[in-house]
Amino acid sequence: MSVLPNYISSEVEQKWYSYWLKNKYFSSKPDHREPYTIVIPPPNITGVLHMGHMLNNTIQDILIRRARLKGKNACWVPGTDHASIATEAKVVDSLKKQGINKEDLDRESFLKHAWEWKENYGGIILDQLKKLGCSCDWDRTKFTMDEDMSKSVISTFIDLHNKGLIYKGYRMVNWDPEAKTTLSDEEVNYVERKDNLYYIKYKVENEDSYITIATTRPETILGDSAICVNPTDKRFHKLKGKKIIVPLCNRSIPLIEDDYVDIDFGTGCLKVTPAHDLNDKLIGDRHNLEVIDILNDDATLNRHGLEFEGKDRFVARKEIIDKLTKQGLVDKIEQISHNVGISERTNAIIEPKFSDQWFLKMEELVKPAIKSVLKDEEIKLFPKKFENTYKHWLENIRDWNISRQLYWGQQIPAFYYGKGKNDYVVATNIKDALSVAIEKTNNKNLKLSDLKQESDVLDTWFSSWLWPISVFDGINNPDNDEINYYYPTNDLVTGPDILFFWVARMIIAGYEFKNTKPFSNIYLTGLVRDKQRRKMSKSLGNSPDALKLIKDYGADSVRVGLLLSASAGNDLMFDESLCQQGKSFSNKIWNSYKLINGWSVEDIEQPEYSKLSIQWYENKFQSVLVEIEDHFNKYRLSDALMCVYKLIWDDFCSWLLELIKPEYQHPIDKLTFDSVINIFENNLRVLHPFMPFISEEIWQNISNRSVNEALIVSAWPKVESVNRKMIKDFDFTSQVISSIRTIRKEKNISFKNSIELHVLNNENNSSNLDSLIIKLCNISKLVYTKIEVENSISFRVKSNNYYVPVDNNNINIEEEIIKLKKELQYIEGFLNSVRKKLSNSRFVENAPDKVIQIEKDKEQDALSKIKAIKDSLSSLDR
RNA sequence: GGGCGCGUAGCUCAGUUGGUUCAGAGCACCUGGUUUACACCCAGGGGGUCGGGGGUUCGAAUCCCUCCGCGCCCACCA
């Protein structure tokens, strides 16, 4: 056989990925087999592959490849998300670089640029997933703004609207003044900041007295419509019914009373600015207060801003304080620390804004989603600990603000026929809208040109919540073959950060639009962090270049590296050295194949030790396979990988191959060789989901395979019965072997020098594995004895005594005696504690029989071991 | 402020209902080894009062209380 070259991951990976693609192994069509379906969490088209993607797509690929090997019709649907805010920001940015302002473009031209951008960059991340080995059915690639996908979104909007679940309302929303859009609550981060708390004096009308209020946002003074105190606060009873003068603009506003005000905070007086604070708005509603909005969309002051009009809110704040100070109205300034809302996208400080938005009522929709996960367990959450979080969120859910003031996205299909905010109809297109409008208004003179479509688009999540349904066109064609076959999907793999944004909403959509769950299992990965536990992010620059890692270590190695420390739901501290561990493993596997590949096979007799070793490994493999299955069933993928890792590295390479390895330049018998190849193939089958490339490469090297014999479509090994005794006997034997190795090391006996081994078989072991000891320990003679052996070093495994005779001058009798006495002392202490337990009547009365029996066995073990040590001691004493 | 969770070897983590196999794994570390697959290796080895204290129990890493430290989610007080 030819000498194999070293393993070069980049060549091998490219070769097999093209081969897999060419032969359509990834593609899936409905057939008679059981389906196994995963829909990818669609990455943003603006995204580049980062470690989080690498992790959860590796996991999905492992699940898909295993399902494929198990004979299921495995279908992994890939795609991307239009990510309205993020993409629009990118496009605006790229236009700016070309000297174009978004404001100068109308909707249509902007969208043209956006689609152009999407065509250029939108597919990059999917190409990167291919490098990782992801076996998605690429022919099914979807985009959340594909025509049919958008059609689904629009028709569900209309459906929900017709059910009375969508309404328009003025609400306090999070306004991002930089992106000039509303943000969902989830897109706002709160950071703790130190700010000034200004105490400002307001004059009481027609009196020479002042009251003081505290505020962190003095510019909103211009929007004040009342001063509010707690009705039980006696300090202010004398001012009841009075008017207060707002500084600077000298408006007269009422003093009102409301329970909301905390007597002990600040001065006990609250300035009420309904346009700029949610709680103030609620107070305002209770007291019929005027709403005075003082800000423009870009957070500069508007016409209510007096001489500060046009100035940014923070500039205005400073100037207002200066002016108030000059007027002697600033009582004092304190430093407080409080939380400030920051836009996740632009980092701008969020302005609470009173705005006209579209909402979806959630209260009823959410009910089946609570029941299915928490009560019926139709959907299982891994790890389970997220159930509490899930429950808490769903039970406290608020109505969903689904409108966004952007161009990029599905435009809300509402058409206004009049000036009033509720003078609209909802329809698929403008023509339908016209007839609906005519019917509604009874105004036959309405023309198309009288209708104006709502300019807002829908929240991105309002399209991605349909993803598991809409990728199979299950909204537009609810009874098509694909949706009937693939839906509900099996597993969803994603990060816990979008449990609410996306996962919960998909469940809601599943029950609302398909009457069933969208998937059966949710696997939440951890977040990938760096070694210092920081979240990986672009701004910190601590995220490694995923593609470079693949180039340096190979995709298989990166997959292994990521997975090794990624137990479900735990954040994982990523460190490049993990990839190195993966690479070492690849190297180990490759070299084990090189060894076997180099053997010359002859039709000679099979040695006993080979036969036994192979028997042992086949049983060991089965027992590990059972463990692997168990780990998979509980979604403990890193544990499953660790099983494979140890199986191949320790059991296969370190034990089996060392045992059956022929002597240098000697041939191997055919029986053993064939068995080893068979074993190797089974190893590759369980390895394949984790390390698809190297496993396929070796598989195809072992023999010439036809197209339908590729590893990717071979079969996962079947679980068979395990001979546990064989494994136990081998464990015993391996302890003997380790002990001999220890003695060789301690006594400096080179492996090249053969030694004798004498056994005092107190355990009455059958001796059939002795040939393994002889092979691995270079034993010249293995003798069973009834008496102690003098001039030897002894050790025990269980109660068996083993003696390795050595030269007199290589043995230090005193040292040996001390060693044995220590061993004896320990075991006697152990015996004592066991007996103490057994003589404790409360233990004997209360503990179950099984536990008592265990203690009795321990007692017996200890006794026979003590006897064996004493035997050895007496032989040394002589 | 409200809720959830965590603390086990130098690091990252397993440890089902308290009881064989419970004090474990991988990595790192230490010692020795290289003409004969692999130094990306082999063999051997040392590491832990299971965050502290108290309790329940015949028996606690596991259950309860308390203190200390950390993380996440939700709400957000002018």
Side-chain angles (χ1 to χ4, degrees), chain A residues 165-180:
Chain A
L165 294 175
I166 288 179
Y167 63 95
K168 244 184 114 176
Y170 282 123
R171 278 294 174 91
M172 197 58 66
V173 293
N174 307 300
W175 182 257
D176 179 341
E178 207 155 297
K180 290 187 195 139

Side-chain angles (χ1 to χ4, degrees), chain A residues 367-368 370-380 511:
Chain A
K367 284 181 179 165
I370 294 176
K371 192 160 166 276
S372 85
V373 174
L374 302 168
K375 272 182 88 179
D376 304 345
E377 295 198 358
E378 278 192 346
I379 302 175
K380 292 204 184 70
Y511 285 102

Side-chain angles (χ1 to χ4, degrees), chain A residues 750-769:
Chain A
S750 161
F751 180 78
K752 286 170 195 152
N753 303 325
S754 65
I755 52 174
E756 286 182 17
L757 181 67
H758 297 246
V759 187
L760 212 156
N761 191 4
N762 299 324
E763 292 279 316
N764 278 323
N765 277 341
S766 50
S767 58
N768 63 350
L769 291 179

Side-chain angles (χ1 to χ4, degrees), chain A residues 608-676:
Chain A
E608 181 71 4
Y609 60 79
S610 290
K611 198 172 146 191
L612 291 167
S613 303
I614 280 163
Q615 266 176 29
W616 161 73
Y617 186 84
E618 284 169 349
N619 279 293
K620 181 73 190 183
F621 181 88
Q622 281 300 324
S623 76
V624 175
L625 184 61
V626 170
E627 280 179 60
I628 292 171
E629 293 288 313
D630 189 48
H631 288 316
F632 266 112
N633 290 336
K634 290 170 182 153
Y635 292 83
R636 295 187 302 232
L637 302 200
S638 35
D639 292 329
L641 171 59
M642 189 44 72
C643 280
V644 176
Y645 182 90
K646 286 196 277 190
L647 177 76
I648 292 180
W649 201 309
D650 298 340
D651 298 316
F652 182 69
C653 292
S654 295
W655 286 109
L656 181 68
L657 291 183
E658 292 302 325
L659 277 163
I660 59 158
K661 189 157 97 177
E663 274 178 68
Y664 183 50
Q665 291 191 330
H666 283 60
I668 191 161
D669 66 278
K670 197 165 179 322
L671 266 178
T672 302
F673 184 79
D674 290 348
S675 302
V676 169

Side-chain angles (χ1 to χ4, degrees), chain A residues 238-265:
Chain A
K238 57 177 191 288
L239 293 174
K240 211 168 174 175
K242 300 271 184 198
K243 300 261 178 180
I244 309 293
I245 305 295
V246 180
L248 304 174
C249 58
N250 296 321
R251 266 187 296 110
S252 163
I253 56 171
L255 181 83
I256 58 170
E257 295 181 331
D258 198 285
D259 290 336
Y260 171 76
V261 177
D262 179 352
I263 296 176
D264 298 323
F265 190 91

